[in-house]
Amino acid sequence: MSSLKKKVVIVGGGITGLAAAYKLDKEYKRKGTDIDITLIESSHRLGGKIHTVHKDGFVVEKGPDSFLERKKSMSRLIQEVGLADRLVPNSTGQAFILMNDKLHPMPGGAIMGIPTQIKPFMSTDLVSMTGKLRAAADFVLPRSKGADDQALGTFFRRRLGNEIVENLIEPLLSGIYAGDIDQISLKSTFPQFYQLEQEHRSLIAGIKKTTPAPQMDRNGNKKKKSMFLTLTSGLQSLVDTLEEKLAEATILKGVKIESIDHASSGAYSLKMNNGEFLEADSIIFAVPHLAAHAIFYKKNLLSQFKDVPATSVATVAMAFPKDAVTQVLDGTGFVVSRNSDYTITACTWTHNKWPHTVPEGKVLLRCYVGRAGDEAVVDLADDQIEAIVLDDLNKIMKVEAKPDWTIVTRWIDSMPQYTVGHKERLNNIRKELQSTFPGVYLAGGSYDGIGLPDCIDQGEKAANDVLDYLIHDR
Ligand SMILES: Cc1cc2nc3c(=O)[nH]c(=O)nc-3n(C[C@H](O)[C@H](O)[C@H](O)COP(=O)(O)OP(=O)(O)OC[C@H]3O[C@@H](n4cnc5c(N)ncnc54)[C@H](O)[C@@H]3O)c2cc1C
């Protein structure tokens, strides 16, 4: 590398861009590499989809509220920046599925809706006896033929039948991807299920063999294990701490990147919406795929992204006095089957799942609206969304009172849909990008995993790619 300071620009100040900037900053200090880091964010705050609000003693997450404990990169980053003492696991409890106007307990042992224990599965009324017998066909059905990608719906319907898919698997998956199970790629979302089928033929047998036996309590009952973690101070506190740690980087907020071009110096030129240009030797685009598509539009690159759907959702947080919710809510919340006549798609009983976020004597219900094929509700006015959600809650849980307050947050085109062929499409796009714009990388929720830990992995990998590129390839 020449002695001239190399310029790295990171576009997008969500968790992916922040993780990339932090990694680059740390690594270049460690290796003594001389680089100049600029992080550009189009809005006036960092965090992207992470956004915590503190109100009347509540900690309200407008976007993500937690992350999967088993994916380690988020807790590792939290520890690295000194927030480990704020990590808290979710309180465990019964989760429900709303079907035919009734909340049904999720059968014990179900993993992503896939039954793994006979007794609780046989006693659930979410699936008819015919549906249960159909699911048992999984033990004898052959493996999927060939290694081509397929839709999650195709895979699960073939193995376990339609009823389990519609009443158990789809509501849960839709809670994660807000998507259409018959379009979402198996290989890009749950490759482990394909792998299990290939290795064990039966999906149920494969899961049973590879899942550790549950721990027992003193009375011989299965211990429920918490799967999620969050920060007592809200996820935004990780964003704020990363921003503080990036004191030596330049952070521009309220500046949008409009397009990219080759600069005469051999580097790249980014056009900003304030009319100015910024030069960069290497760039990480940590923005959603539709934003990346717009930036590369004039270069005729990333055009395939325009056909990749992204679903709009809204979160609706409602605070009540405890006695306003008359039905006893003993559990963590529910997801809604598509075979139900409701607008909300899920509801977390936040005061039970995350008790530290809710003051004594209060209840916080955090609902979702909007999913693939059913997004129009997200465009309604706040009071209309509030009225629809309250009407649903009243029917489901007899919530008749008006909330003390409601926070509606719209997330437009926010849930990227990894449709069948996602991996291959992305590989092709990346190859094309590297041949025209070497040293330019894509990372974030639209690409190699939607969860917060996946985004951190991607940000850090992109940072390593940038360093490799600057040190070895130029
Ligand atoms: C409602 C909701 C709930 C979720 N819940 C969870 C959860 O509980 N757990 C979990 O693990 N995951 C959850 N997710 C997914 C997770 O939040 C996201 O995948 C992740 O936050 C994406 O981070 P990112 O940095 O890749 O993208 P983003 O957070 O979208 O950040 C991208 C940033 O780029 C900026 N930007 C865009 N275009 C430009 C441009 N041209 N120039 C400059 N800046 C630009 C944007 O303003 C934005 O700040 C949820 C997502 C949503 C929407």
Side-chain angles (χ1 to χ4, degrees):
M1 197 170 126
S2 83
S3 57
L4 272 181
K5 241 187 175 189
K6 295 290 178 193
K7 294 192 187 81
V8 180
V9 173
I10 297 160
V11 185
I15 191 63
T16 309
L18 283 163
Y22 179 69
K23 174 90 180 171
L24 267 176
D25 185 65
K26 200 176 63 172
E27 291 293 302
Y28 96 75
K29 276 182 197 147
R30 194 169 62 80
K31 292 187 181 158
T33 320
D34 212 9
I35 60 172
D36 198 70
I37 302 170
T38 304
L39 176 70
I40 300 189
E41 165 55 45
S42 57
S43 74
H44 289 275
R45 52 171 289 279
L46 296 182
K49 292 179 180 100
I50 296 180
H51 194 174
T52 314
V53 171
H54 297 264
K55 189 176 167 63
D56 301 343
F58 290 78
V59 184
V60 184
E61 297 290 1
K62 296 172 109 195
D65 68 352
S66 57
F67 53 93
L68 267 177
E69 194 261 331
R70 79 182 152 78
K71 296 189 173 182
K72 297 295 175 201
S73 40
M74 184 85 170
S75 2
R76 196 235 320 121
L77 183 60
I78 286 170
Q79 274 168 19
E80 251 175 74
V81 299
L83 298 179
D85 58 343
R86 301 188 196 174
L87 275 171
V88 58
N90 65 284
S91 298
T92 56
Q94 182 64 56
F96 295 85
I97 297 183
L98 181 72
M99 195 188 79
N100 297 337
D101 299 325
K102 195 180 151 210
L103 290 173
H104 302 259
M106 187 90 64
I111 292 183
M112 208 35 94
I114 304 160
T116 62
Q117 288 169 18
I118 293 174
K119 214 170 136 196
F121 180 58
M122 289 314 283
S123 58
T124 182
D125 46 6
L126 277 163
V127 184
S128 69
M129 188 44 79
T130 319
K132 288 170 186 166
L133 290 172
R134 170 61 185 85
D138 171 66
F139 289 106
V140 293
L141 281 169
R143 297 170 172 86
S144 303
K145 281 199 198 100
D148 285 352
D149 196 7
Q150 55 185 305
L152 282 173
T154 312
F155 177 77
F156 287 127
R157 285 181 204 284
R158 192 176 76 81
R159 293 236 61 92
L160 302 162
N162 284 337
E163 225 184 307
I164 291 218
V165 168
E166 273 157 35
N167 299 346
L168 269 162
I169 298 177
E170 201 277 342
L172 286 168
L173 287 177
S174 164
I176 304 173
Y177 293 100
D180 177 351
I181 190 169
D182 291 310
Q183 286 198 42
I184 295 179
S185 150
L186 173 67
K187 285 205 169 162
S188 298
T189 53
F190 292 99
Q192 67 272 36
F193 291 147
Y194 173 76
Q195 218 47 52
L196 285 175
E197 188 207 40
Q198 292 302 303
E199 282 162 28
H200 302 271
R201 194 181 61 179
S202 154
L203 182 60
I204 298 175
I207 294 178
K208 274 176 85 76
K209 275 194 193 137
T210 51
T211 308
Q215 291 183 332
M216 299 298 185
D217 65 17
R218 274 199 221 136
N219 304 322
N221 298 319
K222 280 179 194 136
K223 265 197 209 166
K224 268 195 187 289
K225 198 176 165 310
S226 60
M227 286 166 56
F228 300 98
L229 291 171
T230 197
L231 289 168
T232 48
S233 46
L235 293 173
Q236 182 79 40
S237 55
L238 172 62
V239 170
D240 298 342
T241 308
L242 286 169
E243 184 172 5
E244 277 164 35
K245 301 262 172 199
L246 288 169
E248 285 175 39
T250 305
I251 298 181
L252 303 178
K253 294 182 207 168
V255 178
K256 184 176 174 189
I257 295 301
E258 289 188 331
S259 58
I260 182 170
D261 215 332
H262 293 90
S264 50
S265 60
Y268 303 119
S269 168
L270 289 165
K271 183 170 181 239
M272 299 185 275
N273 64 339
N274 57 12
E276 292 175 21
F277 291 84
L278 191 71
E279 282 215 354
D281 295 292
S282 185
I283 307 170
I284 298 172
F285 284 100
V287 296
H289 64 285
L290 294 171
H293 170 254
I295 293 166
F296 283 88
Y297 180 71
K298 285 193 186 143
K299 295 274 118 190
N300 238 340
L301 281 173
L302 316 192
S303 52
Q304 290 181 63
F305 280 158
K306 90 173 178 309
D307 301 321
V308 176
T311 309
S312 297
V313 298
T315 57
V316 184
M318 290 178 164
F320 298 90
K322 205 164 200 161
D323 54 13
V325 182
T326 45
Q327 208 176 58
V328 180
L329 302 176
D330 191 8
T332 53
F334 61 88
V335 289
V336 183
S337 145
R338 277 193 195 250
N339 297 333
S340 304
D341 197 13
Y342 292 93
T343 305
I344 58 173
T345 57
C347 175
T348 306
W349 300 337
T350 311
H351 49 287
N352 288 349
K353 190 168 181 182
W354 303 108
H356 69 275
T357 63
V358 180
E360 200 53 46
K362 299 284 181 184
V363 159
L364 182 66
L365 303 178
R366 188 173 176 269
C367 300
Y368 271 82
V369 295
R371 59 178 152 194
D374 194 7
E375 295 167 77
V377 59
V378 178
D379 293 331
L380 297 177
D382 282 11
D383 56 347
Q384 290 173 302
I385 294 181
E386 183 192 40
I388 289 170
V389 171
L390 269 178
D391 191 43
D392 277 0
L393 288 177
N394 191 16
K395 280 191 236 152
I396 302 161
M397 294 160 44
K398 301 198 177 25
V399 179
E400 284 164 358
K402 273 248 166 208
D404 292 342
W405 47 258
T406 300
I407 299 176
V408 177
T409 312
R410 289 173 193 72
W411 295 104
I412 304 300
D413 295 339
S414 63
M415 299 295 232
Q417 302 296 301
Y418 292 5
T419 50
V420 175
H422 176 82
K423 255 185 198 300
E424 204 183 336
R425 186 168 50 231
L426 194 57
N427 282 343
N428 292 339
I429 289 173
R430 282 202 166 115
K431 269 190 208 145
E432 201 184 17
L433 184 63
Q434 277 308 293
S435 68
T436 327
F437 286 90
V440 174
Y441 304 95
L442 293 170
S446 282
Y447 313 105
D448 298 304
I450 191 174
L452 296 170
D454 304 309
C455 291
I456 289 172
D457 289 339
Q458 293 175 64
E460 292 180 346
K461 178 177 181 305
N464 285 333
D465 289 344
V466 164
L467 281 173
D468 280 355
Y469 171 74
L470 292 179
I471 292 168
H472 303 298
D473 295 357
R474 285 172 62 92

